[in-house]
Every structure is written in C-alpha cells, then in structure tokens.
Amino acid sequence: MHDDRALVENRLKRVLDERIRPAVYPASTPLDVAVWHAPGEPVPVAEGLTASPAPIAVGDAWGAPWGTSWFTVTGTVPAEWAGRTVEAILDLGFDENMPGFQCEGLVYRPDGGPVKGLNPRNQWVRIGAPVEGGEEVRLHIEAASNPVILDYHPFLPTKLGDRETAGSEPQYRLARMDLAVFDETVWQLVIDLEVLGELMAELPVDGARRWELLRAVERALDAIDLQDVNGTAAAARAELAGVLATPAAPSAHRISAVGHAHIDSAWLWPLRETVRKVARTASNMTALLEDEPEFVFAMSQAQQWAWIKEQRPEVWARVVKAVNDGRFVPAGGMWVESDTNMPGSEAMARQFVHGKRFFLEEFGVENEEAWLPDTFGFAAGLPQIIKAAGSKRLLTQKISWSQVNKFPHHTFLWEGIDGTRIFTHFPPVDTYNCSMKGGEIAHAARNFKDKGVARHSLAPTGWGDGGGGTTREMVAKAARMRDLEGSAAVVWETPAEFFARAEAEYPAPPVWVGELYLELHRATLTSQAKTKQGNRRSESLLREAELWAATAAVRTGFAYPHERLDRIWKTVLLHQFHDILPGSSIAWVHREAEKTYAAVAAELNEIIDDAQRALAGNAGSGELVFNAAPHARNGVPAGGAAMAPAPTRGGLRARDEGGYVLDDGLLRVEIDDRGLVVSACDLRAGRETVAPGQAANLLQIHPDFPNMWDAWDVDQFYRNTVTDLVDADEVTPGEEPGSVRVVRSFGRSRVTQVLTVEAGRLDIRTEVDWHETEKFLKLAFPLDVHADRYASESQYGHAFRATHTNTSWEAAKFEACNHKFVHLEEPGWGVALVTDSTYGHDVTRTVRASDRGTTTTLRVSLLRAPRFPDPETDQGLHRFRHALVPGATIGDAVREGWFLNLPERRVPGDAEVAPLVTVDDDAIVVTAVKLADDGSGDVVVRFHESRGGRARARISTGFTATGVAVTDLLERPLAGTAAPEPAGGSVAVSLRPFELVTLRFSRS
Ligand SMILES: [Zn+2]
C-alpha cells in the first residue's frame, strides 16, 4: 500500500483547525460590557460588584500594569436557543500560546458567589444545559491586568516588574465577550481526534496500530460534511469508536494523573497577586470537580490554602466541601514549596511543622509526601527532616532540568547525610504542567528509567501560575487514555494513592546517596543579597526569641508570645519560597521582602529585649552577656547569661615590607600594602594557611551574562575572564583599635573592608557600594591545604563535595551552597571560613610547580548584578561578615559559624541566667529551645550530632522536669521510641552521626 501518512496527518490538522474546532460554538451573540477600573490596589469583592462601571467595547484597550478592572457583562439568551447548551465566552485579550503569566479573571455571580476563573485556555462559563431561552445573564469579572514579564523574547530587562516603575500603558485589548451555543458532540469529536492524532504520531511506523489509527481518522474525516460539521460530527465519532475501544497492552506504563496547578507563591507577580491566582484556580478546580466525577485535584503549600481561608471565604467554602469529598487533596506537607538549599536547620523543619499542622487542624489530613516539583536542588539533610516530620516520601520533577548529567532513576530511595532513606519519585513526564498531550504521555512511558521492575509514574496535570489548573479538555483526554491500545494507561489519583502503588510494586528500589544537586540555577545562591541576609538574620533572631522567651517564661512567668512567634515564623517560611529566597522574583517582591524582614527583625528584637530584661532583673549596675549560641563562649554558658569581660582583640603593628600585622598570640595575619592577606599563621600549630605566593581576602570580579535565566543562572564560562581587585585606595589602621581598613574602587563601585584578629580568627567585615551590571563578585582564599573533599554546612549537619572535577557530576557542581561554614582539612589540621549571610561558594584546586603542594582555593560569592527579572538587582550598599579560622576542626567550624551568626548581647543587670538546657558534649548542637506549640508549657529541645560521628551526652534541665518524651518535629510523642530515663535532673542520650532528636520535657 502506498504511504499516505503525511497526507492524512496534514488533512487532520487543517480540518481540525479550520472547520471542526470553530464549530464547537456554532452560534453566538455579543454581550454588553461595562468596566470600572479600581484606582489602586485590589478592592474587596463587594466594592468591585457595586462600583459604577462605564461602557467598554470589544477591541478596546484596558488594564494598566498591575491594575484591577471590574467588568460587568449582561445579555439575554436568545429564545431560539431553547434546549441548547449555552456558554459565555469571555476573552479578556488572552494569548492562548501562553497558558498563564498574563491577565486573568475571576467570574462572580451578582450575589458575590465565585463561578470560575478566566485564563488563556479556560475562557468559558456555562450558562445553562439546556437553556429555556430568554434567560437574563449578568456576570461580574474581577480582572487583573498583570503584565507579561517573561515574553516571547525572554529575559529582556523590563521595568514592568514593579508597580512603581511599570507606567500606565494599557496591557490588553478586550477580545471576545459573547453568549454562544456549545455543541458538545463537536467538542467530543475534537478530543477524539486530538487523542488519536497525537497518539498516532508517537507510534512506530512499522507497527499495525499506527496504521489502524490513520485509517480510522481518515474515515472520520470522510464522514464529516465540511459545510455541516455540527450535523455530521456524530457520524465521524462513530468511525473512531472502534479504535478508541481497543484496550491497552498488559505491559503498558501506568500514569497516575494528579490534577495540579503549580502556583509560585510570588515570582513574576507580587505576593498579593498570588492570593488571587490561588482563588481563581481553586474556583476553577472546584467547578471542574463538580462536572467531572473521576477527576482529582491536589494543591500544595499550606500558605496558599490559608490565604483562601482568610481572604476568600466564598471560595474556601467550596474548597472545604471538595476536600471533605476526598477529591480536592492537600499535597505535600510544607508551608510553601520552599528552596531547600538555603533554609537553615530549624526553618526547614518548621516548613513541615506549619505545613502539616495546617492540614491536620483544618482537615485531619496527614500527608506523607513532600511535594516539591520545582525546587532548585535538594540538600542532603532533607530526608531526615522529612522523616522527623512524620512523612516518608518526596516528589520532585526539577532534577530533569539539569544541564549535564541525566539522573539514572525515576523511582528510588534517597539517602541523606545521616542515613535516612526516603522513597522518592521524579515524574518521567518531565513537566509539572502536563496537559495530557499524547507526546507527553508517550515521553513519560519511554523516559521512565525503571522499566522492567516498576511501571507506575505520576503526572502533575494542569496549567500553573495563572493558567487556571486542569482543564475539561485534559480530563476528557485522560478518560480516552484510561485503557487505550498504544498509549500508557492514565487514571486520576491522589499523590498518596500513587505512592502506595509505586512502593508496593518496587520494594527494593535503587539508592541515591547525598544531595540532589540541580545542575542549573546555581546563581540563586547569590542573587538578591538583601533577601538572603533577611532570611539568615530572621532565622537567627527566631532562635534567640524562642530561647530567651522560653527561659524567661520558665523562670519568671514571662508570657511566651506563642501567637507572635507563630505569625513571624510563617512570614519567614513564606519568604523561603523557591523564587523569593533564591532571588528570582521581580523587583516588587524583593523590595517588599526587604521591608518585611526589617519589620520581622524589629519585632523579634522587641521580644528578645523584653525576655532578657525580665531575666536580667532590675538590680545592680552590672552588664550581663547573653549567649544564644549552642556552645559556651567567653565563660558564658550556651543558652545562658553571665558577667563576662569583653573579648580581647589582637594587636596591630606595622609590617616591615609595608602593610600591617594583626596578632593575638594564636593567629598572626600579615596584610600587605595592597590590603591583601599574604600570611595567616596558626601560631599554635606553627602552620601557614595561605598558599605560598598567593594572597587571601582577594576580591575577584567576573563578567556574568548567562545564556538565559539571568537571576537564576551563572554559566561555567564566567570563570574564563577574571579581574583581581588588587589596587587599594587606602590601607590604614581602622578607627577601632587593632583593625586594618582597606578601601578599593572599581568600575562604579567601592569596597571598604575592616580586618581584625580575635580568638585565633581573622574577622573580615566587607561593605560594598555596588553599582555594576552583569558582574559576579567573589572573595577568594587560596589555602595551602591538600584535600579531595570539603564540607559545607547544611541542615542538621554538613555535606561533602569534591575539590576536583574527575567526572561530569563533580564538574557540574561549580557553584554550591553553604550555610554558616565551609571547612577543609588535612589529617590533623584544617581551616574554616564562616559567614553571617552568604550561601554561594566554589572550591577549586591547583598543584604548584614550586613545591608540588596543593593550593585549594575557596571563594565565597558576594554579589551579582543580573538584569532580569529585576533590572536593578543588588544595586546599592551591602554589608557582609566573614571569618577565616585557621587550625579549625569540623567542631570548631560548627561553633564559629554559630558564634558569628549569634553575636552576644550585653544587657544591664546582674542576675546571671542559668541555661534551661545544658548538654555535656560539644558535638551535640541544640538548634531550638522553645515552649511547646500547644501552649502546655512543656519545654521542647531539638538537637543533633553535628560532626558526623557518634555522641553520648547528658542533657540537663535547669528546671524541674516531670517527664520527658522523644517527639517528632510536630512535638508529638514518637510511638515505639523509648523515652530516655531521667536521673538527677538529666537524661542520657546516644546519637548516630548527624542524628536529629526532639525531646519534650513536661514540668509541674
Ligand atoms: Zn515554581
């Protein structure tokens, strides 16, 4: 037989586009439209419904950037449509090629009840099925004219990303506003032909099924009278019924479709707009659930649920009903889909505490999966945190975005730093916006790496970010692929149902040990420095506030500020969302974040001050030093307060060759006349830290213009060009005794550094007035250390990475994340670099010709200057603190990291404060001391082994404990775990490497 595939396939495309799809709505009549433009920020629904609108015509421009317009559409259903199905088609000026990221609307009835959202691929509102004719139609649309930031020419700098700079030019043109007859038979024919046409294109040409589909499609096209599509659609469908009824092969891949809308909690829109995006999508999805009995929708991020509850009660009522029906399902168990590289230990834990608690309290639902489809890589501390939260599974799709290496599994056990293993699934559909296209379904089946031992995968299905979620078309396509020869078999299921199947069929999946590094978006560890500093400072202040408030509550009856801390935690957790903390949002978001972090700091400092004043007493003229760090410092116990002298700083003297020497008897640092550290001698070990002939504290600047995703990405070629900033304007003694001040100018920017030596540590305070464009600023420390690997602090421990690039996997990690420290060591001697706020770093090695020694260069990333999506990213004044700690063991690195981030506080008073909790082994780090969230007054203590070894210790309480329980992160006693036996005011504990433990002490 002749091969006529192209002929039939092209015919299918043209007839679908030009004849069949237009026949879905065979008759229409225009609606009358009026509009009221809200003058500023969004107004309450009642105000929008009662405003006085002015007429507007289809074709007219509307919508200043970030504006809100309330449209009122009115009309009468024509009498001759009696008995037909009628819909309103409300096209605000959408571009269907972009299913999200544009204007959006939420349709209301005149009584204020929400109907559904309007989105680029979801423009219909059902009026009646059937109508009687003559019905009066009146609908209101709350339309948001959010500008398109990520355009067809992506990553161009734009001023649209902030209301203050976006101007007032209308962004959209009102398109179609009609009442129309909906011909369901034609609509079903479109779905039949799409499913079969898309499946056909994926099937092998030498297989019979492909040709069966081709011939059936041809017969259907023959059956259509192109002058009367509506009259002949049923006949065409009859020609397709046979091939649609042939069942899937027994070995077919099984896809659990989960209705979904990945809604970024802020990104190319501000936080306030996400509230409305969520309300629109939830309205769409509750409506679709009513129409489609098999459909299931899952929504993650407890924060988004809370927004609906608090701000859109009319939508919330519908959501609650659908949840109670088991079909609108809470997914994951986190407050937001956060970044997981940068959040600190406790913050990562609290994401789960607050996320899981919301779903438990509202619905009695406890999710066992972490749902993070879009997060930019996964720190190796996460498995233990997931487990400690009472969960056991993880879903993400993002690792498929890696630039270089293809991940070897789709279903596997992920093992974290402490050995905890989590059942993990990467959907092989490679998208979190699946639209049930045949190509996507076939790709999932082909791509699945675990064929032969497993056959189930998950497909998050629906448009996110203002696309409106799952569409009725996706549901109709899934129904046809439920059991269809040649296709993977698709069924709607909840994430929990999928995981149960996947675990059951795959009892011994392969294991991946260590971080799930995303080989992309590496610059998110640096972009928007102020957002990152706000996060780190908030985390530190939250620790202090909980510690001192709990101590004061137990000792003095101080009112523990449960509600304030709960609210502040949720604010900080929200800002760890995977486009806020990573610095990839528009200017508006980061401008607001800076203000929010300032308010958070002010409120937390107030709580800390009040608690410390309550503890310090009124008497005396002394000065107490409060130490919130987990280790004793300068004679002050961890978590306590005592009288203590000011620490002594090393002395300063002139250096013979020019420059200065700082020396405290433990460390001697030589700073040359360029302001560079040419020597840092650990006097106890008699050992030089800086590589011979090199200089540390070296600022280096690179051009930094990635191929795409400017705020997200730094591409490897950035390193090909570098300028060392060695010219100093001034190198002088600083104002403070024992300090050296270095000033440099470069480009349009200026750096001032102050260097001091104290307690064997070189402290470096760096102030940058940054006015560069598309540049990357690094601070380099070439170290005389020979090490194959180095440690970076992560949550509840640290992870190791290679210093070499033997394989493509190691080479791809050319920028990585640290929390408070990075540590390198040879047997017997090591060095740490600690930081109060930077996260990005790189480590490289060279071998010197002179002495064949190894120079391992650690560089911390200070600032970038991308121009998309915020064209002014990081412009202005920044302050950083770093410290170089020669001779540091891993334990020293841990301790110095905490010290730098939790400076001691000096408070008038003389009532020394004994710690609430004391641990007699420094390897154990207490990360939280707080009162139990349930208001019982119990004291909750969370701690972990911090060095990667074993620890045995006694935990002593500075109060009378009447009982103790081992709990999960949510402070619930762990079933089957024996509580340690209290004896003489303390309990003995024994911890595995990096093991995390939460103890809950009751008191009388
Ligand atoms: Zn996202």
Side-chain angles (χ1 to χ4, degrees), residues 14-93:
R14 182 171 188 196
V15 174
L16 256 179
D17 282 350
E18 297 184 20
R19 299 301 161 92
I20 306 179
R21 287 197 186 98
V24 169
Y25 292 104
S28 65
T29 183
L31 288 156
D32 291 322
V33 191
V35 67
W36 174 72
H37 302 294
E41 284 292 277
V43 298
V45 174
E47 193 178 333
L49 292 177
T50 51
S52 302
I56 181 173
V58 162
D60 286 356
W62 70 279
W66 307 113
T68 299
S69 300
W70 283 85
F71 291 95
T72 304
V73 296
T74 49
T76 307
V77 176
E80 63 269 27
W81 291 357
R84 310 293 299 273
T85 297
V86 172
E87 296 185 343
I89 306 172
L90 305 172
D91 183 347
L92 298 171

Side-chain angles (χ1 to χ4, degrees), residues 525-545:
L525 304 172
T526 306
S527 297
Q528 299 286 4
K530 286 202 163 65
T531 299
K532 290 168 169 64
Q533 293 186 317
N535 176 67
R536 182 76 70 84
R537 182 180 55 187
S538 302
E539 289 181 355
S540 298
L541 290 172
L542 275 161
R543 172 199 175 87
E544 285 193 82

